[in-house]
């Protein structure tokens, strides 16, 4: 599994140290159906953790090219608000008190997707699990009033790649194939770069943390009326917020999401 080098949603010094190569593909990208139109994720900070300065506009450049940070934030602002109430049960119990357990369960449930059910229900669950942080190295230049949208935006938008949750058209196309996924979590860890940043005092919010989760995802679908499967090895890096800042762990944002096809049958 290789990590995406294309502008993650939260471009921060700490995360940049732990996410190192380019993405090879994503778990749903090889399916039959239209490819999603991916979006650039809002930039926040540079590799030194400092705010980015908007470049001076040059003749013939578009607004996005002249000021990509502002353009990305406007894209986030345009994302429809997702109401948190959902039929899908929240993560509860002891799992919410331990970041490793919560990260594993969140990624598992995020990637367990039944395309025969409404996509909006799954996104409502993501919103219900969302948490916020004011940590500059995580939220960077994202305005405070937009931070409540980070969770859903980070799993539905991606720079040049299919996101963790397929777009509406892809979701509907998979529904026509009677498709759904099953997930097995392989490994969870706190990256050394993150723990080093915390111990060196670079992280001010005591409740924010980072995790890397690897998993095996199997897509089940019908091909010419017969059952078929495609299996991928998936990696996801994410930020969480929990004790002592809040009573239980919650999902802040997906930093990277990538997948490598393993087998098909």
């Amino acid at each position: 599994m290789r990590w995406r080098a294309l502008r993650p949603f939260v471009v921060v010094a700490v995360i940049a140290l732990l996410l190192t190569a380019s993405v090879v593909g994503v778990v749903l990208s090889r399916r039959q159906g239209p490819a999603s139109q991916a979006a650039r994720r809002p930039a926040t900070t540079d590799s030194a953790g400092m705010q980015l300065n908007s470049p001076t506009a040059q003749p013939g450049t578009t607004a996005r090219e002249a000021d990509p940070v502002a353009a990305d934030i406007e894209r986030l602002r345009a994302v429809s608000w997702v109401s948190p109430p959902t039929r899908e049960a929240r993560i509860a119990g002891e799992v919410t008190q331990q970041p490793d357990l919560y990260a594993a369960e969140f990624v598992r449930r995020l990637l367990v997707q039944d395309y025969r059910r409404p996509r909006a229900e799954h996104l409502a669950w993501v919103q219900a699990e969302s948490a916020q942080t004011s940590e500059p190295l995580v939220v960077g230049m994202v305005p405070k009033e937009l931070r409540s949208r980070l969770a859903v935006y980070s799993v539905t938008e991606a720079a040049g790649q299919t996101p963790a949750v397929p777009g509406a058209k892809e979701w509907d196309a998979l529904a026509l194939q009677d498709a759904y996924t099953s997930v097995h979590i392989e490994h969870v860890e706190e990256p050394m770069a993150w723990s080093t940043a915390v111990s060196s005092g670079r992280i001010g919010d005591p409740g924010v943390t980072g995790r890397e989760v690897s998993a095996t995802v199997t897509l089940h679908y019908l091909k010419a009326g017969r059952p078929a499967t495609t299996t991928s090895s998936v990696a996801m890096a994410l930020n969480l917020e929990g004790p002592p800042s809040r009573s239980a762990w919650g999902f802040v944002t997906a930093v990277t999401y990538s997948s490598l096809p393993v087998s098909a049958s």
Side-chain angles (χ1 to χ4, degrees), residues 41-103:
R41 295 185 178 187
T44 56
T45 56
D46 64 11
S47 59
M50 300 176 64
Q51 289 191 344
L52 296 169
N53 293 318
S54 299
T56 302
Q58 299 296 323
T61 61
T62 65
R64 175 176 289 276
E65 292 169 337
D67 193 348
V69 175
D72 288 342
I73 291 176
E74 284 307 307
R75 187 176 182 87
L76 173 60
R77 194 184 303 277
V79 171
S80 299
W81 168 255
V82 176
S83 299
T86 174
R87 291 170 50 188
E88 198 169 343
R90 293 277 307 277
I91 298 174
E94 184 181 354
V95 171
T96 65
Q97 301 302 307
Q98 300 184 40
D100 284 1
L101 295 180
Y102 181 85

Side-chain angles (χ1 to χ4, degrees), residues 16 18-19 29 81-83 96 100-102 105 109 175 183 186 191 195 200 203 210 230 250 253:
L18 60 94
L19 306 170
S29 63
W81 168 255
V82 176
S83 299
T96 65
D100 284 1
L101 295 180
Y102 181 85
E105 182 63 5
R109 290 180 58 172
V183 178
E186 303 288 350
S195 58
S200 65
I203 307 298
T230 302
T253 185

Side-chain angles (χ1 to χ4, degrees), residues 84-129:
T86 174
R87 291 170 50 188
E88 198 169 343
R90 293 277 307 277
I91 298 174
E94 184 181 354
V95 171
T96 65
Q97 301 302 307
Q98 300 184 40
D100 284 1
L101 295 180
Y102 181 85
E105 182 63 5
F106 177 84
V107 171
R108 186 190 71 81
R109 290 180 58 172
L110 175 70
L111 300 181
V112 171
Q113 298 168 5
D114 188 344
Y115 305 106
R116 299 162 296 189
R117 295 180 57 184
R119 177 175 179 268
E121 289 184 5
H122 200 55
L123 296 184
W125 171 80
V126 174
Q127 184 62 49
E129 291 293 332

Side-chain angles (χ1 to χ4, degrees), residues 147-237:
R147 293 173 190 172
S148 61
R149 305 187 186 194
L150 291 182
V152 171
Y153 186 88
S154 70
V155 299
T156 57
E157 303 286 344
Q161 299 293 332
T162 303
V165 178
K169 290 183 179 179
E170 290 79 9
W171 188 284
D172 292 343
L174 289 163
L176 294 176
Q177 298 179 61
D178 205 30
Y180 64 95
T181 61
S182 57
V183 178
H184 176 70
I185 300 298
E186 303 288 350
H187 186 65
V188 180
E189 66 179 358
E190 179 182 19
M192 183 177 295
W194 180 272
S195 58
T196 299
V198 172
S199 62
S200 65
R202 297 186 63 195
I203 307 298
D205 182 354
V208 70
T209 191
R211 288 296 185 273
E212 294 177 355
V213 181
S214 59
T216 299
V217 178
T218 302
L219 170 69
H220 307 261
Y221 63 103
L222 295 179
K223 184 177 181 180
R226 294 173 175 254
T229 61
T230 302
T231 300
S232 296
S233 180
V234 172
M236 183 173 179

